[in-house]
Every structure is written in C-alpha cells, then in structure tokens.
Amino acid sequence: MAARPLPDAAVRELGRWWSGCGAEFADGTPGAHTVRYTPSRWTRIAPWPSALASRSHTGDSGVSRAQVVSIVADTLRREAFEEALVATYVWGKGKRGSPGGNGPASLRKILSVESLDTALARGVTALSEHGAEAAYAGLQGLVPGLGPSFSTKFFYFVGKTVPSATGPQPLVLDRVLARRLRSLAQAVGRETGHDPDGSIANWVWRDGNWSPHRYAVYLSFMEAAARQAAASSTWPSDASPDLLEYALFSTSWT
C-alpha cells in the first residue's frame, strides 16, 4: 500500500468529482461538507453543544465540518471532552440517527460509561504527545460502543486543534473508506500474484475493527495519495488530505 499509487481510474474519478464540486471546496478543504440531522431526535443526549441547533427544533438542521471543527475547538478549551464527542457523533450519524436506532440510543450508552471523560482526555493527550496511531490504539476497545468509525471521527476533529505530535494527521476511517482501500489492495494482489483471490485484502481491509497499524498504514497512504492527486492536472495542488478522504468517500473507481 505504501508503494502503490492510486490507479488511473481513481485519479480520473477524482478529477470528475472535483470538476463538479470544486466551487464548493475552493479553499482546498472539505470544511463546507455539511450533514443534515434532526435535532429533536437527540433530545435525551447531554451534554449538548450550544452551537448545534436546539433539540426543541423539530425540523432538520445542517452542520458542516468547519462548524464541528469550531465546536470541538471550544470544547477542548473547556476540557469538555464528552461534548466534543457528541458534536462529532451527531455529525457522523446525521439523519441516520433515530430515537430507537443506533444513533441517539447508542450514544446514550456510550455517554453512560463512567470512565468516558478520562478515556477521551487520554486520547487527546496521546495525539498531542505521541501521534494519531497511539491515540487510536489507546482508545481502541476501551469504551463499549465507541468503535473505530467514530473514534477516528473524534480524533479527526480534535486534530484540527491539537495536531498529531508525529506522523500524519488523523483522518476519518469508516466502512466506506475501508472498502475503497480493499478495492485497491485487491487490484495490487492480483497484479503481483501475492493475493490472487483477494482474501488477504478482504481480511486486512474488513468493515471494522482495524488494528492501530492498519490505521497508520491508511494515514500514510492517504498522504501519499494526496500528493499523487495534487501532481495531476485535475486536482488542486493545495488540497488537504481530508479533502481526498471526503472525495474517496463520495466516489468509487470500481
């Protein structure tokens, strides 16, 4: 994965995505990426960030990545780590959250964990002192219900205020992005003969429970892929790796 560049099909698809969405992300970041959510579905969630729409609001609202960055920066200044998690969780779930579903109900269970605040605080410290891989490793499996898809969202937004001490900055890794990497790994395996049937790629880039090493590989690959895309004529040269993350989430080259 470290040596393999994005396939030509992926670069072409990224170029098409940028030609259609570039005006929205003219600053080279995905800050404008907005998720719709229904505040009233989260009425039993506390602490609730005041910058999110009031939970008495029965209609839909939107929250962008840039807004979540601002919310999390404020919560970190106040050491309100659970509030930071709520903001990232609501953004991550969006309208998929429902009163009895795996949105608010799951978040309530996570927030009920007695050691949650301490665990999140230690994760933030690990990011600032040791890097994204260490932060991910320290939180993995520690909080029941808080899996990699949402812990990486938490660290992604935290990393905008508290940069990784070493190595790449944290990025979101969820099932969709893992499947993008799986597709690439399968292509490499077929071409090299090391994994002709894709079984290794299927296991390494499974839908969840990625190891800290795998998360570190993902971050390194994304940095290299962002440089590769920037060298093409169809991708902005000053784009951040998280813009590539969002583009890969939104497109498919298979």
Side-chain angles (χ1 to χ4, degrees), residues 151-224:
S151 69
T152 59
K153 289 178 176 67
F154 174 75
F155 285 126
Y156 165 68
F157 285 108
V158 167
K160 295 298 185 179
T161 297
V162 182
S164 176
T166 60
Q169 297 302 308
L171 295 172
V172 175
L173 175 58
D174 59 16
R175 181 174 59 183
V176 174
L177 288 158
R179 289 177 177 178
R180 300 289 187 265
L181 274 293
R182 185 190 310 166
S183 175
L184 176 59
Q186 288 171 339
V188 174
R190 288 192 298 269
E191 291 174 10
T192 62
H194 292 306
D195 183 27
D197 64 355
S199 58
I200 297 175
N202 288 338
W203 177 78
V204 169
W205 295 109
R206 51 193 179 273
D207 283 350
N209 196 30
W210 309 287
S211 69
H213 171 71
R214 193 57 43 200
Y215 183 57
V217 169
Y218 166 71
L219 296 181
S220 296
F221 171 80
M222 290 297 287
E223 281 210 336

Side-chain angles (χ1 to χ4, degrees), residues 50-181:
S50 61
L52 291 178
S54 170
R55 287 162 293 176
S56 64
H57 180 63
T58 56
D60 289 347
S61 295
V63 60
S64 69
R65 289 199 190 206
Q67 289 171 316
V68 178
V69 169
S70 177
I71 292 170
V72 171
D74 173 66
T75 61
L76 293 179
R77 284 192 291 270
R78 295 184 282 111
E79 297 187 346
F81 302 108
E82 292 184 5
E83 195 174 325
L85 178 64
V86 169
T88 64
Y89 202 97
V90 170
W91 177 85
K93 279 294 181 182
K95 290 192 68 173
R96 291 178 297 157
S98 60
N102 66 351
S106 296
L107 182 55
R108 285 186 66 213
K109 291 178 182 178
I110 294 170
L111 291 170
S112 71
V113 175
E114 186 175 351
S115 59
L116 175 62
D117 196 67
T118 299
L120 295 175
R122 287 177 177 172
V124 173
T125 299
L127 179 65
S128 67
E129 294 184 353
H130 304 290
E133 181 180 0
Y136 178 93
L139 200 56
Q140 189 175 36
L142 191 61
V143 178
L146 184 60
S149 290
F150 280 91
S151 69
T152 59
K153 289 178 176 67
F154 174 75
F155 285 126
Y156 165 68
F157 285 108
V158 167
K160 295 298 185 179
T161 297
V162 182
S164 176
T166 60
Q169 297 302 308
L171 295 172
V172 175
L173 175 58
D174 59 16
R175 181 174 59 183
V176 174
L177 288 158
R179 289 177 177 178
R180 300 289 187 265
L181 274 293

Side-chain angles (χ1 to χ4, degrees), residues 4-38:
R4 168 75 180 196
L6 287 168
D8 292 341
V11 175
R12 288 194 297 271
E13 188 60 33
L14 287 171
R16 284 192 287 269
W17 181 88
W18 179 251
S19 67
C21 302
E24 185 177 1
F25 306 108
D27 63 352
T29 79
H33 170 210
T34 297
V35 171
R36 304 295 296 174
Y37 68 105
T38 306

